Amino acid sequence: MDTALDKSIVNIDEMVLNMGPQHPSTHGVLRLKLHTDGEVVSKIEPIIGYLHRCFEKHCEYLSYEQIVPFTDRCDYLASMHMDHAYSIAVEKLLDIELPERVEYIRVIVAELQRIASHLVAIGTFGLDVGAITPFTWTIRDRERVLDLFEALCGARLLYNYIWPGGVSHDLSPKFIQRTHEFLDYFETQILEYNELLTGNKIFIERTADVGVMPADVAINFGVTGPSLRGSGVDYDLRKTQPYSIYDKFDFNVPVGEGTMGTIGDCWDRYWVRMVEMEESIKIIRQAMASLPNGDVHAAMPKKIRPAKGDVYSRYESARGDVGIFIQSNGKNVPLRLKMRSPAFCNLSVLSEIGEGWMISDVITILGSLDIVLGEIDR
Amino acid sequence: MTSIVKSIIDSFQSFPIDPFLLAVLAILIPGIIIFLIMAVNALIAVYFERKVSAFMQDRLGPMEVGIFGFKGGKKFWGGIGQTFADAIKLLAKEDIIPNDADKFLMVLAPFIIFTGAFLTFIGLPMSDSLVISNFNIGIFYIIAMSSVGVIGIILAGWSSNNKWSLYGAMRAAAQMISYEIPIALSLILVVLVSGHLDIYGIVQWQSENRWFILHSPFAALGFVIYFVSVVAETNRTPFDIPEAESELVAGWMTEYSGFRWALFFLSEYANMLIVAFVASIVFLGGWLSPLQLIDLPFFDIPDSWMFLDGTIFGIFWLFIKAVILIFCMMWFRWTFPRLRVDQLMYVCWKIFIPFALANVILISIWELIF
């Protein structure tokens, strides 16, 4: 028996639902055009550009030192990573050697920043599936990381800390002591998050088997970072193309294993972030144990004037693979600076994996991709 | 059995008073009492909820506004004036009705929801002989009246002319109508066992035998089904999908503001109180003192120790039980994520209703045997 509705008699229209740019869970000013049939979403059109600030064009008028505050504002939840990525690119262009202490300090703050950023990702993901308490807990603990950064460089969100050729302030022994205290405290907190959210039956029902991103789809769409590793692809630039001094540390790259459902579902992406925080703790511990003495500034020219040429450097930020391309024509401003934004590529996969799910699931999937609009729009 | 309406009529009978005026008085006085109960309940429950959520989330909650501390930020009694300030703010707020909204229905909807909660209180006893009007079909009346609200929700969602509101209303209609079935099926258990639709009869049965939740394993299961279903019926997390903040902005109340929104809020907390009252009355012995449960094997407690019974203490015990249940509902809200629509329907139709139906049959067999 044919149960399908005869569309010549009944007029069936899709309802276009405009989600955002002012919506509680589009993580900023993302606008999604959802074509819905009842609760089921048949088509997703992400519309971006509401936070566009002409980052790349601005960079063509700024000297290399002045660009750092702008990279800060790209991924405002992981500013250290963006500064670090940019500084590595400039240093590669200049071909200068850094003091070892600088590299260690950079790794310590970058991993602390990864913890802070993943805490926001996990908390807002909980918020997306309707759990409010995990968010306040993760924000409470992120606050401790921000306190550390404040003690380090005076800023809490946009640090301007990692510069081409060094860092702005040296680490104090007090900072190291406080970081140790934080890590000891934070290890127990991870267990609490797991009790509250990770193992919750409702949470598993909402996230496992939802928004499955197979490995080939992830690779084809250029998805990187925890979202890619959630699909079971063991690809982390810190391991595969170690920059800075990551080859000196012993840490694992967690990948999604489909513990609660299929490999590459929302739960796996969430879980990868959870385990990555534990791995970051390991890296910070190792880095602080072997922190050498020395200067925190490399010998740099007064004005950065790289020779003609171009450079492309890659960096594993909290959201994925940040690529910085700089073309220099020998002046103190770059001729062209292009940033490959990981969140932009991660967002592009949303319409592929999100179509056919319900409105609630689209929000879950969007939350599991962990986008930051500052970085997407630049 | 006496009731408030009856005692008003009785006490005014000695005066030479117009029967029409007497009828107006008999309606007006209970009405004011119910409204006061609802308003005070909302004020206290909101404060309670904010504090409970704050302590669960490692915060302090409202701390600034004290009753005498509006000026100069003087801290007083842990922000106890916060909900008063919020209520005043809501009353003073501009009432916005969107241009394309169906104005008549949009204005009407909050009052229907409010009426549903308001009318339920008529049949709801606060204690021994403290009820507005006593029905011989009390339980039936309460079930019927508490489902009036869903009409208002559908109207509110439809008339707002907002897609989010429409989604919220659709979800609310599906959810609340579905969950009324397990609620009614679990309340039928007590009717089967005690043989009363009348609330006083039910509590009478419990005082002669034992609390209904201790009657049999099926009664305990019935309590669980009832309690989870009423959490869904009152649209609270983990079943708050009609107003799902992260999905539907505010669901069916997206377009409402000011006093009309305050009415929704008032009704929501009144509904919480109602379902907690019904659960306490039907399953937890109502206004009976829990001290009666104590049964020591080698020591007979004399009756004179049971002084904590009676009308006044009945109010106390009923409220204690209700507050514990309300606290549990808040506890759910601040620790659980939200279910999805289809999962919610799955829980209702494939788990609760079969179990509740089996419960009805099994408890009848239990009654036959014992």
Short mmCIF file of all heavy atoms in Angstrom, two decimals, chain A residues 144-165:
data_model
loop_
_atom_site.label_atom_id
_atom_site.label_comp_id
_atom_site.label_asym_id
_atom_site.label_seq_id
_atom_site.Cartn_x
_atom_site.Cartn_y
_atom_site.Cartn_z
N ARG A 144 40.38 29.86 36.01
CA ARG A 144 41.68 29.66 36.66
C ARG A 144 42.81 29.77 35.65
O ARG A 144 43.88 30.31 35.96
CB ARG A 144 41.72 28.29 37.33
CG ARG A 144 40.81 28.20 38.52
CD ARG A 144 41.20 27.01 39.33
NE ARG A 144 40.66 27.09 40.67
CZ ARG A 144 41.29 26.65 41.75
NH1 ARG A 144 42.48 26.10 41.63
NH2 ARG A 144 40.75 26.74 42.92
N VAL A 145 42.58 29.24 34.45
CA VAL A 145 43.60 29.38 33.40
C VAL A 145 43.77 30.85 33.05
O VAL A 145 44.89 31.35 32.91
CB VAL A 145 43.21 28.57 32.15
CG1 VAL A 145 44.32 28.64 31.13
CG2 VAL A 145 42.93 27.14 32.51
N LEU A 146 42.63 31.55 32.95
CA LEU A 146 42.72 32.97 32.60
C LEU A 146 43.45 33.73 33.71
O LEU A 146 44.20 34.67 33.43
CB LEU A 146 41.33 33.55 32.38
CG LEU A 146 40.52 32.94 31.24
CD1 LEU A 146 39.29 33.77 30.97
CD2 LEU A 146 41.34 32.82 29.98
N ASP A 147 43.24 33.32 34.96
CA ASP A 147 43.97 33.96 36.06
C ASP A 147 45.47 33.76 35.90
O ASP A 147 46.26 34.68 36.14
CB ASP A 147 43.52 33.39 37.40
CG ASP A 147 42.15 33.89 37.81
OD1 ASP A 147 41.71 34.89 37.21
OD2 ASP A 147 41.53 33.30 38.70
N LEU A 148 45.83 32.56 35.47
CA LEU A 148 47.26 32.30 35.24
C LEU A 148 47.80 33.22 34.15
O LEU A 148 48.87 33.81 34.30
CB LEU A 148 47.46 30.84 34.82
CG LEU A 148 47.31 29.77 35.89
CD1 LEU A 148 47.43 28.40 35.26
CD2 LEU A 148 48.39 29.94 36.93
N PHE A 149 47.04 33.34 33.07
CA PHE A 149 47.50 34.20 31.97
C PHE A 149 47.56 35.65 32.42
O PHE A 149 48.44 36.40 32.00
CB PHE A 149 46.56 34.05 30.78
CG PHE A 149 46.75 32.77 30.03
CD1 PHE A 149 45.70 32.18 29.38
CD2 PHE A 149 47.98 32.15 29.98
CE1 PHE A 149 45.86 30.99 28.68
CE2 PHE A 149 48.16 30.96 29.29
CZ PHE A 149 47.10 30.39 28.65
N GLU A 150 46.61 36.02 33.26
CA GLU A 150 46.62 37.40 33.75
C GLU A 150 47.87 37.66 34.56
O GLU A 150 48.52 38.70 34.44
CB GLU A 150 45.37 37.65 34.60
CG GLU A 150 45.14 39.12 34.87
CD GLU A 150 43.92 39.34 35.73
OE1 GLU A 150 43.33 38.34 36.20
OE2 GLU A 150 43.57 40.50 35.95
N ALA A 151 48.25 36.68 35.40
CA ALA A 151 49.49 36.82 36.17
C ALA A 151 50.69 36.86 35.23
O ALA A 151 51.70 37.49 35.53
CB ALA A 151 49.62 35.65 37.14
N LEU A 152 50.56 36.19 34.10
CA LEU A 152 51.69 36.09 33.18
C LEU A 152 51.88 37.37 32.38
O LEU A 152 52.98 37.90 32.27
CB LEU A 152 51.46 34.90 32.25
CG LEU A 152 52.55 34.57 31.26
CD1 LEU A 152 53.79 34.16 32.01
CD2 LEU A 152 52.10 33.45 30.36
N CYS A 153 50.79 37.87 31.79
CA CYS A 153 50.97 38.98 30.85
C CYS A 153 49.96 40.11 31.06
O CYS A 153 49.95 41.06 30.30
CB CYS A 153 50.91 38.48 29.42
SG CYS A 153 49.35 37.73 29.00
N GLY A 154 49.10 39.99 32.05
CA GLY A 154 48.21 41.10 32.34
C GLY A 154 46.89 41.05 31.62
O GLY A 154 45.96 41.76 31.98
N ALA A 155 46.78 40.23 30.57
CA ALA A 155 45.53 40.17 29.82
C ALA A 155 44.86 38.84 30.06
O ALA A 155 45.51 37.85 30.39
CB ALA A 155 45.79 40.36 28.33
N ARG A 156 43.54 38.84 29.90
CA ARG A 156 42.79 37.63 30.18
C ARG A 156 42.25 36.96 28.92
O ARG A 156 41.92 35.78 28.94
CB ARG A 156 41.62 37.93 31.12
CG ARG A 156 42.06 38.37 32.48
CD ARG A 156 40.87 38.84 33.29
NE ARG A 156 39.91 37.78 33.48
CZ ARG A 156 40.02 36.85 34.41
NH1 ARG A 156 41.04 36.85 35.23
NH2 ARG A 156 39.11 35.92 34.54
N LEU A 157 42.10 37.69 27.86
CA LEU A 157 41.49 37.08 26.67
C LEU A 157 42.37 37.28 25.44
O LEU A 157 42.65 36.34 24.73
CB LEU A 157 40.10 37.69 26.45
CG LEU A 157 39.21 36.94 25.49
CD1 LEU A 157 38.89 35.57 26.05
CD2 LEU A 157 37.95 37.70 25.24
N LEU A 158 42.80 38.50 25.21
CA LEU A 158 43.60 38.82 24.03
C LEU A 158 44.99 39.19 24.53
O LEU A 158 45.21 40.31 24.98
CB LEU A 158 42.95 39.96 23.26
CG LEU A 158 41.47 39.71 22.96
CD1 LEU A 158 40.79 40.98 22.53
CD2 LEU A 158 41.31 38.66 21.90
N TYR A 159 45.89 38.23 24.46
CA TYR A 159 47.09 38.33 25.29
C TYR A 159 48.19 39.17 24.68
O TYR A 159 48.91 39.85 25.39
CB TYR A 159 47.63 36.93 25.58
CG TYR A 159 46.56 36.01 26.07
CD1 TYR A 159 45.97 35.07 25.25
CD2 TYR A 159 46.09 36.13 27.37
CE1 TYR A 159 44.97 34.25 25.71
CE2 TYR A 159 45.09 35.32 27.84
CZ TYR A 159 44.53 34.39 27.00
OH TYR A 159 43.53 33.59 27.45
N ASN A 160 48.35 39.08 23.34
CA ASN A 160 49.49 39.76 22.72
C ASN A 160 50.78 39.32 23.40
O ASN A 160 51.67 40.11 23.69
CB ASN A 160 49.31 41.28 22.84
CG ASN A 160 50.23 42.04 21.92
OD1 ASN A 160 50.88 41.44 21.08
ND2 ASN A 160 50.30 43.34 22.10
N TYR A 161 50.87 38.05 23.69
CA TYR A 161 51.97 37.54 24.52
C TYR A 161 53.08 36.94 23.67
O TYR A 161 54.25 37.23 23.90
CB TYR A 161 51.41 36.50 25.50
CG TYR A 161 52.46 35.88 26.38
CD1 TYR A 161 53.11 36.64 27.35
CD2 TYR A 161 52.81 34.54 26.24
CE1 TYR A 161 54.08 36.07 28.16
CE2 TYR A 161 53.77 33.98 27.05
CZ TYR A 161 54.41 34.75 28.01
OH TYR A 161 55.36 34.20 28.80
N ILE A 162 52.71 36.12 22.70
CA ILE A 162 53.73 35.49 21.87
C ILE A 162 54.01 36.40 20.68
O ILE A 162 53.11 36.72 19.90
CB ILE A 162 53.26 34.10 21.41
CG1 ILE A 162 53.04 33.21 22.63
CG2 ILE A 162 54.27 33.48 20.47
CD1 ILE A 162 52.47 31.86 22.31
N TRP A 163 55.25 36.87 20.60
CA TRP A 163 55.64 37.78 19.53
C TRP A 163 56.59 37.08 18.58
O TRP A 163 57.24 36.12 18.98
CB TRP A 163 56.39 38.99 20.12
CG TRP A 163 55.57 39.91 20.93
CD1 TRP A 163 54.22 39.99 20.93
CD2 TRP A 163 56.04 40.86 21.87
NE1 TRP A 163 53.82 40.94 21.82
CE2 TRP A 163 54.92 41.50 22.41
CE3 TRP A 163 57.31 41.25 22.31
CZ2 TRP A 163 55.01 42.50 23.37
CZ3 TRP A 163 57.40 42.24 23.26
CH2 TRP A 163 56.25 42.87 23.78
N PRO A 164 56.71 37.58 17.37
CA PRO A 164 57.80 37.06 16.53
C PRO A 164 59.13 37.30 17.24
O PRO A 164 59.44 38.43 17.62
CB PRO A 164 57.69 37.90 15.25
CG PRO A 164 56.28 38.34 15.21
CD PRO A 164 55.86 38.51 16.63
N GLY A 165 59.85 36.25 17.50
CA GLY A 165 61.15 36.39 18.13
C GLY A 165 61.13 36.20 19.63
O GLY A 165 62.15 36.39 20.28
#
